[in-house]
Amino acid sequence: FPVTICGTIYGSKKINFLKSLDVFVFPTRYLDEAEPLVLLEAMRESLPCIAYGRGAIPEILAKGGVVIRPKDDFCEQCLPILKKWASFYFLRKRIGIEARNRFLELKASSLENFKRLSLLVQNI
């Protein structure tokens, strides 16, 4: 894979960038990482993901990616996975489909929770 390192991008540029990728790698060093929206956006685009397991990332990536423990060396753990995915196109695509399905599960759950919360607020 060619590697692209990117800083902050927004809007349609972000969507186009994500659509141009084969894999999304998120080696966040932010200790208080919670629920990174960009990871969900990558999953929405059917991208297999690799990320450090900070905050809610392990729960988000229950399917559709690989979580690397924050105490482990990210590159040491990530490179063999990337090599494998580069060699096995259909494996990478299957994991990407799992990522998209996980995104849809999380979206449906969030919408259901929002509806319940809205009903609770209306009854106050």
Side-chain angles (χ1 to χ4, degrees):
F1 297 115
V3 175
T4 303
I5 298 173
C6 184
T8 306
I9 52 176
Y10 298 100
S12 61
K13 286 183 179 181
K14 183 193 297 185
I15 293 168
N16 291 334
F17 173 72
L18 290 171
K19 287 181 179 197
S20 75
L21 300 178
D22 293 305
V23 173
F24 185 75
V25 178
F26 190 63
T28 182
R29 291 184 180 172
Y30 183 51
L31 294 177
D32 296 322
E33 191 70 67
E35 188 174 358
L37 182 58
V38 70
L39 189 59
L40 293 165
E41 292 168 327
M43 294 169 71
R44 179 191 64 212
E45 300 303 327
S46 301
L47 289 170
C49 300
I50 303 172
Y52 261 139
R54 299 189 188 282
I57 291 173
E59 180 183 345
I60 292 168
L61 282 182
K63 300 176 205 161
V66 175
V67 175
I68 295 174
R69 297 179 305 183
K71 68 179 186 173
D72 290 343
D73 181 282
F74 192 87
C75 290
E76 184 178 293
Q77 299 296 314
C78 184
L79 288 176
I81 297 163
L82 289 175
K83 285 179 184 178
K84 183 176 181 179
W85 289 356
S87 298
F88 298 99
Y89 173 82
F90 290 108
L91 172 63
R92 188 173 74 244
K93 285 299 178 188
R94 182 180 56 85
I95 295 168
I97 291 167
E98 290 173 4
R100 169 79 176 170
N101 290 339
R102 179 65 178 151
F103 167 78
L104 293 173
E105 287 174 13
L106 292 168
K107 181 180 177 184
S109 175
S110 294
L111 289 172
E112 185 60 37
N113 289 338
F114 180 75
K115 287 177 189 175
R116 279 193 241 140
L117 182 59
S118 296
L119 289 173
L120 286 172
V121 170
Q122 288 175 3
N123 292 326
I124 293 178

